[in-house]
Amino acid sequence: MTAVTPAAQLAAAVEVLDAARSATVLCHVQPDADTIGSGLALAQVLHRRGVPVRVSFAEPAELPASMRSLPGVQFLVPPAEVPREVDVLVAVDCGSVGRLGALADRIAGAATTLVLDHHRSNTRFGTVNLVDDTAESTTSLLARVFDAWGEPIDPAIAHCLFAGLVTDTGCFRWAGPGTHRLAERLLATGIDGAGITRTLMDTHPFGWLPMLSRVLGTARLEPAAAGGAGLVYAFVRRADIDGLRSEEVESVIDVVRTTAEASIAAVFKESRTTPDLWTVSLRSRDSGVGTDDGVDVAQVATRLGGGGHRYAAGYTSTGTPDDLIAALLAELA
Ligand SMILES: [Mn+2]
């Protein structure tokens, strides 16, 4: 395939959306606020233009509780209600077909598939792909699309875009040039940025505290891993998360990754339904002496069957905790 310039990608994406007679927007499995925020923002714009639109994700059955106050949730439908044949299918924040889970088969029945994403490992599985791994969130890519399309960002759409921006930048820790400018523009629509952030990132049930205590008790440090870069890891077992939400499970990596002695962090999260099936979160960081010298965990995750970003990635694996840690250490060696 010939190289496509970013401007041409953007124009092609707008052309697909502008011509859509109906649209189906698919978010990734185990959705986060970036994929849902992107899906619901796009749905609101299409709906405003009179285009019938639905948004879905394959699993779990319920939208995570922290995202239920996002504007546009009325456009969400269960996966069974996504028809086999659709006009325009848009995948948001999905690095590969596999991220669509059981809905991946809908691509075959789509007249056009548009991929909007910012994952470094994106496989460009669409008819048209707008992929920019320098975008801090897929919602910030959506803001660019709306601008090029001439579609204004109203407060409800701004709320959804901000949700993806604040979560994917870790509350603006990983902000780049332009990130705060976009945040300022979204906040200027009148949305409650502090409230959105608190709901999405800073609210957990009391059971989160004893869970953290148990899980952090399993943490181990391997200073020699990855040629001395160091690995810190912890296991979240099924029994640890009874009655807790995905929001509590996903928070663990943010504590583990702060360990000074390791530039790579991993959290192994056991499936609630299938013993010995684990999803793994990987994080990496620069040493602080140079720049961009951290381990590229997107590459590590891709070799283990997953994908992601340079500093944040993940994969799924089966086995005992010993098997999992041995496989990861071997990949890092
Ligand atoms: Mn994202």
Side-chain angles (χ1 to χ4, degrees), residues 212 215-216 219-220 231-236 251-260 262 264-267 283 285:
L212 278 182
V215 166
L216 297 178
R220 296 288 178 270
L231 170 72
V232 60
Y233 62 91
F235 285 89
V236 182
S251 75
V252 174
I253 188 70
D254 284 322
V255 183
V256 173
R257 67 170 175 76
T258 60
T259 304
I264 305 163
V267 171
R283 298 291 183 271
R285 60 175 171 188

Side-chain angles (χ1 to χ4, degrees), residues 12 32 83 132 177 305:
D32 59 17
D132 181 358

Side-chain angles (χ1 to χ4, degrees), residues 12-35:
V14 169
E15 197 179 319
V16 168
L17 292 169
D18 199 58
R21 296 299 175 91
S22 69
T24 298
V25 185
L26 298 184
C27 305
H28 63 69
V29 292
Q30 315 304 334
D32 59 17
D34 191 29
T35 194

Side-chain angles (χ1 to χ4, degrees), residues 20-256:
R21 296 299 175 91
S22 69
T24 298
V25 185
L26 298 184
C27 305
H28 63 69
V29 292
Q30 315 304 334
D32 59 17
D34 191 29
T35 194
I36 295 293
S38 296
L40 299 184
L42 182 55
Q44 291 178 79
V45 169
L46 287 163
H47 177 74
R48 192 169 66 191
R49 295 173 54 88
V51 177
V53 58
R54 62 175 83 79
V55 184
S56 194
F57 56 90
E59 57 182 286
E62 299 281 327
L63 183 68
S66 62
M67 298 170 212
R68 288 181 199 155
S69 52
L70 289 175
V73 285
Q74 69 273 23
F75 297 112
L76 281 168
V77 302
E81 288 178 29
V82 177
R84 296 273 141 198
E85 309 221 323
V86 300
D87 172 21
V88 172
L89 186 148
V90 188
V92 286
D93 201 41
C94 299
S96 65
V97 172
R99 297 290 285 155
L100 296 172
L103 284 167
D105 63 357
R106 300 310 198 274
I107 289 177
T112 308
T113 300
L114 171 62
V115 169
L116 302 175
D117 187 37
H118 69 133
H119 288 92
R120 190 182 183 85
S121 57
N122 190 288
T123 58
R124 282 140 176 101
F125 57 95
T127 324
V128 172
N129 302 285
L130 175 57
V131 178
D132 181 358
D133 70 6
T134 69
E136 56 278 80
S137 66
T138 296
T139 61
S140 61
L141 204 56
L142 262 290
R144 241 186 272 165
V145 168
F146 297 155
D147 288 347
W149 196 5
E151 285 294 339
I153 293 172
D154 66 21
I157 293 166
H159 183 143
C160 290
L161 297 182
F162 190 84
L165 186 64
V166 73
T167 50
D168 267 32
T169 60
C171 287
F172 301 104
R173 283 185 191 91
W174 305 293
T179 303
H180 289 96
R181 214 160 24 235
L182 176 59
E184 149 62 17
R185 191 180 151 202
L186 300 174
L187 290 168
T189 66
I191 59 169
D192 175 10
I196 294 167
T197 306
R198 192 169 52 245
T199 302
L200 288 170
M201 308 189 75
D202 278 341
T203 304
H204 295 286
F206 178 75
W208 181 57
L209 300 178
M211 182 274 271
L212 278 182
S213 165
R214 288 191 300 270
V215 166
L216 297 178
T218 71
R220 296 288 178 270
L221 179 66
E222 297 277 352
L231 170 72
V232 60
Y233 62 91
F235 285 89
V236 182
R237 294 151 308 185
R238 223 159 20 128
D240 296 323
I241 54 173
D242 218 23
L244 295 174
R245 312 170 304 166
S246 60
E247 287 87 337
E248 283 70 60
V249 178
E250 298 309 316
S251 75
V252 174
I253 188 70
D254 284 322
V255 183
V256 173

